[in-house]
Structure formats: C-alpha cells, structure tokens
Amino acid sequence: MKIAFVASDSPSAQTGRAALVGRYGNVEEAEADVIVALGGDGFMLEALHRMQSLGKPVYGMNRGTVGFLMNEYSESDLVERVRDAEEAVIHPLSMQATCADGSTHRALALNEVSVLRSGSQAAKLRITIDGRLRMEELVCDGALIATPAGSTAYNYSAHGPILPIGSDVLALTAIAPFRPRRWRGALLPSTAQVRFDVIEAEKRPVMAEADSHLVQNVVTVEIRSEPEIAHRLLFDPGHGLEERLLREQFV
C-alpha cells in the first residue's frame, strides 16, 4: 500500500508524521493509494479541500483537539487499519457571495456556509429557497446552512439539529434570532438552492464564510449542494460518521 502522509504544523502532528514515515515510507499525494492526515478537524477540512481533485481516500489520525473527523492515533498496524476501514462519502456545499462593490466570490464548504453580522447591529436577512420567498425578514446574528457531516459543528452549537450522515437533508439554522422570536430554522432537501439577501447592508454589514473562506460586506449569498464532488473519508470499523453522529446525541 502506497501512503502519503500529510500533517498540520503542530509539533505533535509533525512528530507523528516523522515516526510514521520512518515506519511505512512515504510517496507523493498523486501516487498514493491512500492519504493519511495528521492533525485536528480544521486540518482535515483544509486537506480535503486541497486534495479534492485527486479523488483519493483520506484516513485521518487525531493529533489535534476535537478530532470528530479523525481516527485514534496509533503507529501500529496502520496498513491493516486502512484496509479494514469503513468509507464515508460526503458532498460539499458551494457558496457564491456577491459583495457591495459588485465582486463575486465562490468557495466550497464541507461543514457549513454561514452568514454573520460583522457590525454592532443585528443582521437583517431575506431568505429565498428554490426561487420562492420563504422569509421576508430574519433579524439575527446570522444564519447557516449545514451538511450532515457538519451538523455537529457550528450548527449544533447554534442549537441546530444533528443530521444522519446518509440523509439527503440540509439544516438551515438561525444564530441568535431576534425576530421571528426563537425561530429554530428548517430542514431542507439536499437539492435546495438557498439565497440570503442582506437588508440594509450598509447600515448592518454582513460577512459570509464557507468553512474557513471568509468574504466581507456581502449583499447576497447563494448556497447549494454539489453532488458531483465527492470526498472519501476512512474510519475504523464501528467508529464511522454514522456512529459518531448517533453518539453525539447521547452524550
């Protein structure tokens, strides 16, 4: 098995990579059968974005903090663990954000696309889904669209639902909604195309973020799933994404 090892800049990840390379060897990413990523969830998202065009399965080992997308770190039996691993295929969201100056920015997100106030006043958002106006005005700190894989991240912290990994559903979750009071969001089919229009954008500036790609002073943000793009994640048997999502709900 040809393995490419990639690691975050943290000392523990770099130390782990050196030990694993010494034990199993290392090849270039394009030549690998599998890519082993060492770090935390943030590094895993970064690695998946960077290696999107390769189509290689990625097996993560936690050398960060949360490690929701990672397996337990061990230097033993790596080839056997990779061969026995369960594969989960996840599809990203695409974001197209238009700014007040007319510029357009595109990015992909594996976890969520969020629209957030960037000034002292609450944001005012108009929500359109599949070309149909669904909410004339949402006054809030922000709102987000989350994938099933990302539903335990920012979405869950904002009191959004945890979505089964195999569901064809997206979560639309409000962040600190003021009006409508206590609005908790909605579940949308994965095929939905969502548009946020910023009301009073100059007075109430808003930014948009797709994973770690940040765009300031947006006036419209359009979001949809990208089923043609697939990321392959490997997990130890019994510790796949489906099990992790269930376990999160019974902590």
Side-chain angles (χ1 to χ4, degrees), residues 120-162:
S120 59
Q121 297 194 59
K124 285 187 177 182
L125 305 175
R126 181 179 297 116
I127 303 174
T128 303
I129 299 171
D130 293 330
R132 183 173 179 180
L133 180 63
R134 291 294 183 179
M135 185 168 288
E136 182 66 42
E137 183 178 278
L138 171 64
V139 183
C140 57
D141 279 356
L144 61 84
I145 303 291
T147 66
S151 64
T152 62
Y154 192 8
N155 172 70
Y156 192 40
S157 297
H159 307 291
I162 293 179

Side-chain angles (χ1 to χ4, degrees), residues 47-185:
L48 290 171
H49 283 299
R50 182 170 59 81
M51 296 179 291
Q52 174 184 310
S53 62
L54 297 179
K56 308 283 184 177
V58 181
Y59 181 89
M61 286 203 284
N62 190 21
R63 299 298 270 177
T65 50
V66 178
F68 184 81
L69 298 174
M70 317 299 275
N71 299 286
E72 182 180 351
Y73 177 81
S74 174
E75 295 172 18
S76 303
D77 304 320
L78 178 60
V79 172
E80 290 76 11
R81 289 175 71 187
V82 170
R83 282 179 177 158
D84 294 339
E86 303 171 353
E87 182 173 295
V89 178
I90 59 176
H91 304 284
L93 299 171
S94 68
M95 174 188 80
Q96 178 174 301
T98 303
C99 298
D101 63 5
S103 61
T104 301
H105 304 263
R106 293 178 174 83
L108 295 175
L110 291 162
N111 273 355
E112 76 279 320
V113 174
S114 53
V115 180
L116 306 164
R117 78 175 193 178
S118 57
S120 59
Q121 297 194 59
K124 285 187 177 182
L125 305 175
R126 181 179 297 116
I127 303 174
T128 303
I129 299 171
D130 293 330
R132 183 173 179 180
L133 180 63
R134 291 294 183 179
M135 185 168 288
E136 182 66 42
E137 183 178 278
L138 171 64
V139 183
C140 57
D141 279 356
L144 61 84
I145 303 291
T147 66
S151 64
T152 62
Y154 192 8
N155 172 70
Y156 192 40
S157 297
H159 307 291
I162 293 179
L163 306 176
I165 192 63
S167 62
D168 290 326
V169 174
L170 303 174
L172 165 54
T173 301
I175 302 168
F178 176 70
R179 190 180 298 114
R181 186 77 72 177
R182 297 189 180 90
W183 185 65
R184 298 300 295 271

Side-chain angles (χ1 to χ4, degrees), residues 1-5 16-27 34 36 38 61 73-82:
M1 181 181 293
K2 294 181 289 185
I3 304 174
F5 292 96
R17 182 183 184 278
L20 291 164
V21 168
R23 188 164 182 169
Y24 298 99
N26 186 63
V27 300
V34 63
V36 173
L38 305 170
M61 286 203 284
Y73 177 81
S74 174
E75 295 172 18
S76 303
D77 304 320
L78 178 60
V79 172
E80 290 76 11
R81 289 175 71 187
V82 170

Side-chain angles (χ1 to χ4, degrees), residues 55 65 72 80 85 107 131 140-141 176 185 190 196 213 220-221 224 239:
T65 50
E72 182 180 351
E80 290 76 11
C140 57
D141 279 356
S190 61
F196 294 106
H213 186 94
T220 65
V221 179
R224 61 186 178 90
H239 298 276

